[in-house]
Amino acid sequence: MLIRILFLLASLSIAGALRAQDTPAQKAGYPPKLTIYLAKGPANACGAGCDRWIAIEGEIDRDAAGRVRRFLAGVKDMQRPIYLHSPGGNVEQSYAIARLLRARRATARIGRTIVPACAGTQVDAGCLKVKAARGEVEAELSTHNAMCNSACAYVFLGATTREVAPDAAIAVHNSRLTFVIHGHPPPQAVAEYRQRQMVTADRDRAAFVAAMGIRRELNDLIRTVKFESVHVLTRLELYRFGIDTRPLTETRWTVEKDVRPYVRKLALEKKGDGAAFRLMEWRLFCENKDRARLMFVREADETTAGKRTVVITAGTDKSVTFGRSPARIGKFEVWSDAIAPDALKAMLAAAHLQVGEMSAPDGKADLTTFDIDTTGLEPAWAQLLTSCPAVTTSPKPAGSPPSAASPSLNAAPPAPPSP
């Protein structure tokens, strides 16, 4: 009877209940408890025609679901997408938040909300006070290296529309049960209690994943990943599990502040029946204020033979044609050509660009096309122009093509701690 009473106390004194949080080092850069606020950014900050969103960031603490419930009750416009950036936290709270998002038929994405008004870090006391103020906070969005790890993944699954950018990450691992026991029950009794609780947790997670319309293979995968580690879901897994089933995912055009700055866009395209995805990248360089160079990098398709021509079209007649054979760098192929001023002007004005590839493996021309959007291209190019050299009147040879580099998806979470 004494042991039974002690376990009753333990079950009522679970500190954080089921945990799926990361270490303090992994939580660096996240608020210490879940923070939710309204954000407003520049035109098209969160997509074409979208400049307002809901930011949810930080550790999922024991009271998070209640705060999210009260916050959403005061938000009438649920057309606003929700951007998540979190290391994880309390699993039961994440389930509850997920169901709140499901009830509101929310759109969820993974992204970092950056508030320029914060003088220090994005998580210091002053910045958190700015974010906690009523009304909208002026902010910017970035999907680069944004993460939704551990219990945050369950929150993400609650949305009816889920979008993971190519440079963002969603990572999963198994949970850990923590509880406080008063007294000195036998170790075997403690072990049996822990085992029963974990069986219940596994059953609850499987039921939750199924209720969110996700394939059970995700739950099977989570069970294999130790708490001390993390598994970043690949694009193929996101597609196969039913988390993000878009055949083409893309980032905004953004300025990359490299030794030689450039404007960049990443995309992942489904190949065939979805058994694989192909990584692509566009890099737009300025050689002077009137002259630009476009580089197109992608994973090579070893099944395609013969000469291929890549064309990027803006509107009906303005195009950039990569007529030369691509350079090969490892598993990537790289095209690079100068862009005429009128073609660049058309690209900046277009809502979409059409990417076409012409190949003739058997002597017969075969054309395949797909569209990419231009969200962020015009403001990014305007920003890049501020660092471009002026146009000179004396003739000069065209600038040499920028050095090619393989695309990289730097969205993996920090290395897990040693067990």
Side-chain angles (χ1 to χ4, degrees):
M1 177 63 72
L2 177 59
I3 292 176
R4 183 177 178 182
I5 293 174
L6 290 174
F7 274 128
L8 177 61
L9 290 172
S11 66
L12 295 176
S13 304
I14 292 176
L18 226 126
R19 302 295 296 174
Q21 70 177 38
D22 293 351
T23 66
Q26 288 175 295
K27 291 188 295 184
Y30 297 101
K33 69 177 185 178
L34 203 67
T35 303
I36 179 170
Y37 56 98
L38 298 175
K40 181 182 184 303
N44 304 317
C46 45
C50 175
D51 62 357
R52 288 172 167 84
W53 65 95
I54 297 172
I56 298 182
E57 57 194 29
E59 183 180 358
I60 304 170
D61 56 281
R62 296 177 63 184
D63 303 314
R67 293 198 306 278
V68 173
R69 182 182 295 107
R70 290 189 293 273
F71 181 92
L72 293 181
V75 179
K76 296 181 180 179
D77 179 17
M78 279 308 292
Q79 296 300 313
R80 295 184 184 225
I82 294 174
Y83 280 83
L84 295 162
H85 185 54
S86 167
N90 187 291
V91 173
E92 285 87 355
Q93 293 291 302
S94 71
Y95 291 166
I97 297 170
R99 294 186 176 102
L100 290 172
L101 300 192
R102 180 57 55 99
R104 300 295 290 264
R105 301 187 63 80
T107 294
R109 300 168 183 157
I110 299 172
R112 293 182 296 124
T113 300
I114 302 167
V115 179
C118 292
T121 68
Q122 291 293 310
V123 297
D124 60 34
C127 188
L128 293 179
K129 186 176 180 180
V130 170
K131 294 177 179 180
R134 290 177 177 265
E136 294 176 330
V137 178
E138 293 288 336
E140 301 169 357
L141 261 177
S142 175
T143 57
H144 181 61
N145 280 350
M147 299 180 218
C148 181
N149 296 348
S150 193
C152 176
Y154 304 136
V155 175
F156 186 73
L157 296 183
T160 52
T161 300
R162 300 175 291 260
E163 298 177 353
V164 184
D167 57 351
I170 180 168
V172 297
H173 63 178
N174 212 337
S175 303
R176 181 174 66 185
L177 180 69
T178 61
F179 55 93
V180 177
I181 299 177
H182 299 280
H184 303 282
Q188 182 178 353
V190 174
E192 291 174 354
Y193 175 76
R194 182 186 296 276
Q195 179 62 29
R196 288 196 301 271
Q197 292 300 309
M198 288 306 298
V199 169
T200 299
D202 286 345
R203 184 176 62 245
D204 291 347
R205 183 180 60 239
F208 171 81
V209 169
M212 297 300 110
I214 305 300
R215 294 179 65 89
R216 67 180 185 183
E217 284 84 356
L218 173 62
N219 185 57
D220 295 339
L221 171 63
I222 291 173
R223 293 181 62 186
T224 68
V225 183
K226 293 182 178 180
F227 173 80
E228 294 80 9
S229 183
V230 288
H231 173 80
V232 179
L233 296 177
T234 66
R235 180 57 51 176
L236 183 57
E237 288 169 336
L238 291 170
Y239 182 84
R240 193 173 71 240
F241 297 158
I243 298 173
D244 184 349
T245 57
R246 294 175 294 163
L248 178 71
T249 60
E250 44 188 320
T251 65
R252 290 168 48 88
W253 295 81
T254 56
V255 175
E256 295 296 316
K257 298 178 180 179
D258 207 342
V259 175
R260 182 178 181 181
Y262 59 93
V263 177
R264 180 196 199 198
K265 181 185 184 69
L266 284 171
L268 283 162
E269 181 191 24
K270 181 173 72 72
K271 296 171 63 177
D273 60 358
F277 278 78
R278 192 183 208 182
L279 176 62
M280 298 174 287
E281 180 181 354
W282 293 263
R283 296 185 181 188
L284 183 61
F285 296 83
C286 64
E287 297 185 342
N288 58 47
K289 294 189 183 296
D290 265 355
R291 184 181 178 88
R293 177 172 291 274
L294 182 64
M295 179 184 292
F296 175 50
V297 187
R298 71 175 180 189
E299 289 179 290
D301 186 351
E302 304 298 346
T303 63
T304 303
K307 184 177 179 180
R308 288 156 292 147
T309 301
V310 173
V311 180
I312 298 179
T313 305
T316 57
D317 57 354
K318 300 299 182 184
S319 63
V320 179
T321 302
F322 298 104
R324 295 191 293 269
S325 296
R328 186 67 181 263
I329 303 176
K331 66 176 183 177
F332 296 96
E333 49 191 14
V334 182
W335 283 268
S336 177
D337 261 315
I339 306 177
D342 57 343
L344 177 60
K345 185 177 180 180
M347 287 177 60
L348 296 175
H352 295 87
L353 303 177
Q354 185 178 78
V355 181
E357 179 179 359
M358 181 77 72
S359 61
D362 302 317
K364 296 180 180 179
D366 180 24
L367 176 65
T368 58
T369 64
F370 62 91
D371 287 353
I372 58 173
D373 70 45
T374 57
T375 304
L377 177 57
E378 186 175 18
W381 177 252
Q383 181 181 343
L384 187 65
L385 277 179
T386 61
S387 63
C388 283
V391 180
T392 58
T393 54
S394 57
K396 281 189 176 183
S400 58
S403 58
S406 303
S408 60
L409 298 181
N410 299 318
S418 302

